[in-house]
């Protein structure tokens, strides 16, 4: 795997397979020969076809976005073992996961003498904003909240964080490489924000310091998903060369 400094834009785009069936997911992958990295979330997980899909996509990079919750050490270890065996590149852990459970996930991975799956934490969902933060926690300062949670996750074994909007720059200033920043809520010009309250363009996300971008509906819903992905890759490439 290339270092992050050398990684081309095409390898930094992660397409979210937010579709209802394994067959739909495979059709989407076939329509995107220019994309090598795909995200699988709960929608496909609930079909029961996840093992089959992971096997069929062995030649692709996979981001398994399950936000694994806290559980007993044996269960956490088993999940990480399965992901490592299946070749999963990124795995998200729940923002509510206790710090000891994060350490179990890290130690299980490391005991295999493996660098994957990379463990990522979501300090605050891109579908939420400062108003939601106050309603949920009583806190007012979104930046402080995100950085506090991110610091704890990374100190306890996470390899990176999920950050969107202006939080990308806040987190990159706080965490240099090799900490990974993956950014959802990416919306090219003219695209709907959908359910993201904090979002940004592909170029701005890269300029702020994101390493990987997650894009779903703007690509999958386009008349030509392949061309839509190409436009985003081109925009990312320009931003990489200017930062």
């Amino acid at each position: 795997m290339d270092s992050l400094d050398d990684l081309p834009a095409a390898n930094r785009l992660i397409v979210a397979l937010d579709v209802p069936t394994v067959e739909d997911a495979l059709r989407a992958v076939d329509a995107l020969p220019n994309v090598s990295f795909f995200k699988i979330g709960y929608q496909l997980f609930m079909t029961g076809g996840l093992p089959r899909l992971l096997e069929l996509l062995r030649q692709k990079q996979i981001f398994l976005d399950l936000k694994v919750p806290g559980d007993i050490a044996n269960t956490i270890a088993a999940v990480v073992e399965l992901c490592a065996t299946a070749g999963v590149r990124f795995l998200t852990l729940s923002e509510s996961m206790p710090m000891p459970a994060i350490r179990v996930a890290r130690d299980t991975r490391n005991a295999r003498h493996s660098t994957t799956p990379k463990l990522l934490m979501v300090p605050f969902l891109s579908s939420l904003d400062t108003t939601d933060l106050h309603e949920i926690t009583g806190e007012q300062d979104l930046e402080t909240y995100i950085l506090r949670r991110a610091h704890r996750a990374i100190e306890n074994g996470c390899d990176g964080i999920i950050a969107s909007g202006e939080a990308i720059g806040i987190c990159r200033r706080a965490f240099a490489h090799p900490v990974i920043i993956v950014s959802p809520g990416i919306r090219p010009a003219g695209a709907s924000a959908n359910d993201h309250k904090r979002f940004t363009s592909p170029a701005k996300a890269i300029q702020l310091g994101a390493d990987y971008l997650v894009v779903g509906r703007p690509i999958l819903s386009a008349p030509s998903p392949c061309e839509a992905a190409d436009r985003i890759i081109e925009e990312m490439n320009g931003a990489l060369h200017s930062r």
Side-chain angles (χ1 to χ4, degrees), residues 130-150:
T130 302
T131 301
D132 299 305
L133 175 68
H134 181 66
E135 183 177 341
I136 295 166
T137 69
E139 297 191 38
Q140 301 275 11
D141 189 333
L142 183 59
E143 178 177 340
T144 298
Y145 180 85
I146 287 173
L147 286 178
R148 182 173 69 246
R149 295 191 67 82

Side-chain angles (χ1 to χ4, degrees), residues 198-215:
R198 293 178 295 118
F199 58 91
T200 189
S201 70
K204 186 172 182 183
I206 292 293
Q207 289 163 356
L208 287 171
D211 298 304
Y212 298 88
L213 307 187
V214 179
V215 186

Side-chain angles (χ1 to χ4, degrees), residues 4-50:
L4 283 177
D5 287 341
D6 299 327
L7 199 63
N11 292 3
R12 296 172 182 267
L13 173 62
I14 304 173
V15 172
L17 296 174
D18 295 328
V19 294
T21 70
V22 168
E23 288 67 31
D24 288 330
L26 293 174
R27 281 193 289 271
V29 172
D30 285 344
L32 292 165
N34 51 345
V35 175
S36 61
F37 213 147
F38 294 91
K39 181 175 84 73
I40 299 171
Y42 269 110
Q43 188 173 12
L44 282 170
F45 173 75
M46 292 302 292
T47 67
L50 181 60

Side-chain angles (χ1 to χ4, degrees), residues 9-91:
N11 292 3
R12 296 172 182 267
L13 173 62
I14 304 173
V15 172
L17 296 174
D18 295 328
V19 294
T21 70
V22 168
E23 288 67 31
D24 288 330
L26 293 174
R27 281 193 289 271
V29 172
D30 285 344
L32 292 165
N34 51 345
V35 175
S36 61
F37 213 147
F38 294 91
K39 181 175 84 73
I40 299 171
Y42 269 110
Q43 188 173 12
L44 282 170
F45 173 75
M46 292 302 292
T47 67
L50 181 60
R52 173 174 167 244
L53 184 58
L54 290 177
E55 182 60 33
L56 290 170
L57 297 184
R58 272 282 187 175
Q59 302 307 311
K60 303 294 185 181
Q61 296 289 319
I62 298 298
F63 171 10
L64 194 54
D65 186 20
L66 297 185
K67 300 178 181 69
V68 178
D71 209 317
I72 62 173
N74 189 59
T75 300
I76 296 297
V79 171
V80 173
E81 287 276 1
L82 287 169
C83 288
T85 300
V88 170
R89 178 75 182 166
F90 291 163
L91 174 67

Side-chain angles (χ1 to χ4, degrees), residues 72-241:
I72 62 173
N74 189 59
T75 300
I76 296 297
V79 171
V80 173
E81 287 276 1
L82 287 169
C83 288
T85 300
V88 170
R89 178 75 182 166
F90 291 163
L91 174 67
T92 49
L93 306 180
S94 169
E95 35 74 36
S96 63
M97 179 178 273
M99 297 301 118
I102 295 177
R103 294 194 290 271
V104 168
R106 174 203 60 197
D107 293 345
T108 300
R109 192 244 347 254
N110 292 350
R112 294 175 58 100
H113 304 289
S114 175
T115 60
T116 57
K118 299 294 187 186
L119 304 173
L120 306 178
M121 173 72 75
V122 189
F124 203 59
L125 295 172
S126 62
S127 58
L128 304 175
D129 59 13
T130 302
T131 301
D132 299 305
L133 175 68
H134 181 66
E135 183 177 341
I136 295 166
T137 69
E139 297 191 38
Q140 301 275 11
D141 189 333
L142 183 59
E143 178 177 340
T144 298
Y145 180 85
I146 287 173
L147 286 178
R148 182 173 69 246
R149 295 191 67 82
H151 270 291
R152 290 186 66 207
I154 291 165
E155 287 170 358
N156 282 278
C158 278
D159 301 285
I161 50 179
I162 310 292
S164 56
E166 295 301 324
I168 301 168
I170 292 166
C171 290
R172 181 48 76 207
R173 288 191 292 274
F175 306 109
H177 289 117
V179 172
I180 299 165
I181 296 180
V182 178
S183 300
I186 301 300
R187 290 296 179 264
S192 169
N194 298 116
D195 51 0
H196 295 284
K197 293 183 178 179
R198 293 178 295 118
F199 58 91
T200 189
S201 70
K204 186 172 182 183
I206 292 293
Q207 289 163 356
L208 287 171
D211 298 304
Y212 298 88
L213 307 187
V214 179
V215 186
R217 282 165 286 193
I219 289 176
L220 297 185
S221 299
S224 171
C226 186
E227 291 180 7
D230 269 341
R231 288 192 293 271
I232 291 172
I233 291 168
E234 183 178 355
E235 185 175 337
M236 293 168 66
N237 192 50
L240 283 168
H241 283 99

